[in-house]
Amino acid sequence: MADIEAPLVAQARKPGQFVIISINNEYGERIPLTIAGADPEKGTIRLIWQRLGKTTAELADLQEGDEITNVAGPLGLPTHLEKFGTVVCVGGGIGNAPLLPIAKALKEEGNNIISILGAKNKELLILEEEFAQISDELIITTDDGSYGRKALVTEPLKELCQRNAKPDQVFAIGPAIMMKFCCEVTKQFDIPTQVSLNTIMVDGTGMCGGCRIEFDNKPKFVCVDGPEFDGHKVNFDLMMKRLNAYQDQEKKALEQYKEHQCKIEQIEP
Amino acid sequence: MTDKERQQLLQQLLEKQKTDKLKPSDRYDIPQQDMPEQDPAVRRGNVNEVATGYTETHARLEAMRCLQCKKAPCVNGCPVQIRIRDFVTAIAEGNYKEALDIIKENSLLPAVCGRVCPQEVQCQQTCTVGKKFKDPTKGVSIGRLERYVADLNKNSDSVPTVAAETGKKIAIIGSGPGGIVTAADVRRAGHDVTIFEAFHKPGGVMVYGIPEFRLPKAIVQEEIDTLTKMGVKIVYNFIVGRTRTLEQLLTEDGFDAAYIGVGAGLPRFMGIEGESLIGVYSANEYLTRANLMKAYDFGRGADTPIALSKKVAVIGGGNVAMDSARTALRLGAEKVYLVYRRTEKEMPARIEEVHHAKEEGIEFHILQSPKRIIGDENSRVVAIECLKYELGEPDDSGRRRPIPIEGSEFRIDLDTCIMAIGNGANPLIRQTTPELEFNKWGNIVVDENCKTSMEGVYAGGDIVLGAATVILAMGQGRIAAAAINEYLAKK
């Protein structure tokens, strides 16, 4: 997690939007990260990410005060906010980060917020405190049962849908597989469900189309048509495969980076 | 023709000129000067520029082929009306500096346009010499001459004079060819100019799109350097419409006028089955990864990956299709097919690019088009199923309409498929600028001065014209700049 000085982005950003960042101007990769919060007064935005590939690892290895060469944004369409009634906010893993500003804004709109936060284990659960502050009801699940309920997020979600007063709207943000199964649940109960997608991007402004998904059998660009979509119309299976398009190359890049870091550590006293 | 023969011929002609003028027949007899270029077998393994440029002898001989027609039909063929006959005459006389000055009256990017303009459908199409040989490519090689004098001036420190500061602020949105010339022209008038670029590097399509082997990035950088020397500011990672809206720039940030030159942007897909499979790219994405993000150096410093392709099909027949196909070769593909639904005659690409692509071993599949894209169990593309086509009656574009032949399906095995079938208008400005008028295709509506429906806002290039060329974007940029200067003088 880091707060990054980007005054214009901090001022302009709305819930649901993301930035594209890159660390090195000549050779850096451009990656999209959803904005987890902002302080317009201080001129900072909050980014939360997980070490996955080389760029996220490199980002995590930066020290306080270091510079991120490029931060472009805010990008994407902001979340559509209104008073739906009862809204279930389902966050999985790192997805809690982009979900938080959306849940906050929904609360401000006067919605009744039920949050379900899922994580692999207790250590990997983030932003519980923040969600507790804005939620009328908070449910925690972990895969291993080390904290909260031992379950996948879909279990409590299903129970909520079965209540007499079923939720009016669901927001689900997390790993693609989680969003897929959340949508399968809510579809049975016919509850509108928004998901926020984080596909591979290059420019983030509609120019390359690398982020495209199949939506209602038609191509849509996550960067300019999204990142939020009606989850019931998203082809998640295809999207998940596209996310792995460069898996082998990414693995290699990460290994190279790790090796490089090890060598540096050996040299440094 | 050897270098020695070329020099001898030039000497003979110069001698002859001392006593009497060259007759048209003398000029027709001068063989057209081909551009020296890298050997196809060598160049497909590197990203260096293909055409290496004229020598002085080449240039003077080629310029002497010009008949110096009274009416100079070439000028009318040029979208920005460069005084072509006059600059070619200056080259024939050995006055290269004068030639460049003549070009610069109308064009600010001769080193770029000399390389990427489709001369055979512009100035060379109307060239009398080309008409005599019934082939515009056999006319005077105007682009090569333009490039020659522009390159001679390379590394010159000359910076255009800037008038006294007016205190008026202008926002230029996009640092592509249109933005660059508009910025230069309004800065010359003494205005305070800021270019807003969404990417982390300047140059627009000239950097992310057109590959190094066709337009070296150093040339674009030089143009950008000239701008900054003139005092133009460039802000990167700034997406007008998102970081700040156009309205905010004009009302809160103190800009008195703006020029929108954001390009076309949104890549088109065919709407067929399988287009979202892994290994199917838009040409924009493929070229951006390769050019701007330097994916060819992945694993050797660059962090942006690109498909490691063996067999590639590029769909389309324009310059972008040729660029994609030739880039794929340079990235190591063993087979590259170019699939186009009409014939070579209808291809919108520059003839030189078609010629170069063929020389490099790109296989042309004309009168064919994919019907669906086939993937494996991991959703990776493995083949395209194509239909064969025949040409029917001319359509709106004047080109004969391709008609699919029923039952002609066949399969091309591949691992990468690149769609180079054009771009739609980018919705970013439209989504965030309700005051601005757009047409039904999403292009900005402008008048003959490139003025939009918003006070003080001008636009040009692809976002107005749809898919166009560097020279057209530049032409509109100049018109807009003149209009902005006039508007601000009155304001």
Side-chain angles (χ1 to χ4, degrees), chain B residues 403-416:
Chain B
I403 302 165
I405 302 170
E406 239 177 273
S408 64
E409 285 88 349
F410 68 99
R411 186 181 151 115
I412 302 177
D413 289 334
L414 46 78
D415 52 48
T416 306

Side-chain angles (χ1 to χ4, degrees), chain A residues 30 75 202-208 223-224, chain B residues 198-199 239 266 426-428:
Chain A
R30 294 169 63 97
L75 294 161
V202 183
D203 63 298
T205 63
M207 203 208 70
C208 84
C223 64
V224 289
Chain B
F199 266 130
I239 301 100
L266 221 57
N426 191 302
L428 254 171

Side-chain angles (χ1 to χ4, degrees), chain A residues 27 54 205 208 212 246 249, chain B residues 275 281-282 297 303 306 426:
Chain A
Y27 271 153
K54 187 202 166 195
T205 63
C208 84
R212 69 193 182 279
Y246 299 103
Q249 281 148 289
Chain B
E275 273 185 304
Y281 286 90
S282 75
D297 272 343
D303 293 339
I306 197 163
N426 191 302

Side-chain angles (χ1 to χ4, degrees), chain B residues 301-350:
Chain B
D303 293 339
T304 304
I306 197 163
L308 305 166
S309 316
K310 293 233 160 19
K311 282 186 179 172
V312 180
V314 178
I315 318 299
N319 287 319
V320 177
M322 302 301 153
D323 287 347
S324 306
R326 297 169 69 198
T327 297
L329 263 192
R330 284 159 175 78
L331 286 171
E334 286 155 17
K335 278 253 178 242
V336 181
Y337 312 107
L338 189 114
V339 180
Y340 182 57
R341 59 189 188 138
R342 305 183 204 238
T343 71
E344 211 178 301
K345 207 174 123 225
E346 285 83 17
M347 281 186 181
R350 296 176 80 223

Side-chain angles (χ1 to χ4, degrees), chain B residues 146-340:
Chain B
E146 182 182 20
R147 169 179 165 176
Y148 174 71
V149 289
D151 285 359
L152 277 186
N153 199 43
K154 202 158 58 182
N155 307 323
S156 95
D157 297 330
S158 78
V159 175
T161 342
V162 173
E165 299 291 335
T166 62
K168 302 260 170 66
K169 276 173 73 177
I170 300 172
I172 307 285
I173 307 165
S175 66
I180 291 176
V181 298
T182 313
D185 276 0
V186 292
R187 179 63 192 141
R188 282 206 272 208
H191 303 306
D192 181 354
V193 183
T194 308
I195 298 179
F196 294 102
E197 169 57 48
F199 266 130
H200 55 288
K201 283 199 177 154
V205 70
M206 299 186 290
V207 169
Y208 73 73
I210 305 175
E212 176 79 14
F213 58 81
R214 198 149 78 81
L215 176 64
K217 302 307 150 220
I219 291 172
V220 182
Q221 191 54 49
E222 212 170 303
E223 300 297 340
I224 299 290
D225 290 344
T226 305
L227 284 183
T228 43
K229 279 184 214 154
M230 288 168 75
V232 171
K233 288 162 271 186
I234 307 179
V235 182
Y236 300 103
N237 300 310
F238 194 107
I239 301 100
V240 173
R242 289 267 173 249
T243 312
R244 299 287 281 166
T245 63
L246 186 53
E247 185 71 36
Q248 284 175 319
L249 291 179
L250 294 169
T251 55
E252 296 171 28
D253 302 344
F255 285 94
D256 300 284
Y259 174 79
I260 306 172
V262 295
L266 221 57
R268 283 211 185 94
F269 289 93
M270 296 180 71
I272 57 174
E273 184 190 323
E275 273 185 304
S276 294
L277 291 168
I278 300 168
V280 182
Y281 286 90
S282 75
N284 278 1
E285 182 184 1
Y286 193 76
L287 291 173
T288 302
R289 283 179 182 272
N291 297 330
L292 182 76
M293 308 309 293
K294 302 196 170 81
Y296 50 83
D297 272 343
F298 184 80
R300 292 187 297 270
D303 293 339
T304 304
I306 197 163
L308 305 166
S309 316
K310 293 233 160 19
K311 282 186 179 172
V312 180
V314 178
I315 318 299
N319 287 319
V320 177
M322 302 301 153
D323 287 347
S324 306
R326 297 169 69 198
T327 297
L329 263 192
R330 284 159 175 78
L331 286 171
E334 286 155 17
K335 278 253 178 242
V336 181
Y337 312 107
L338 189 114
V339 180
Y340 182 57

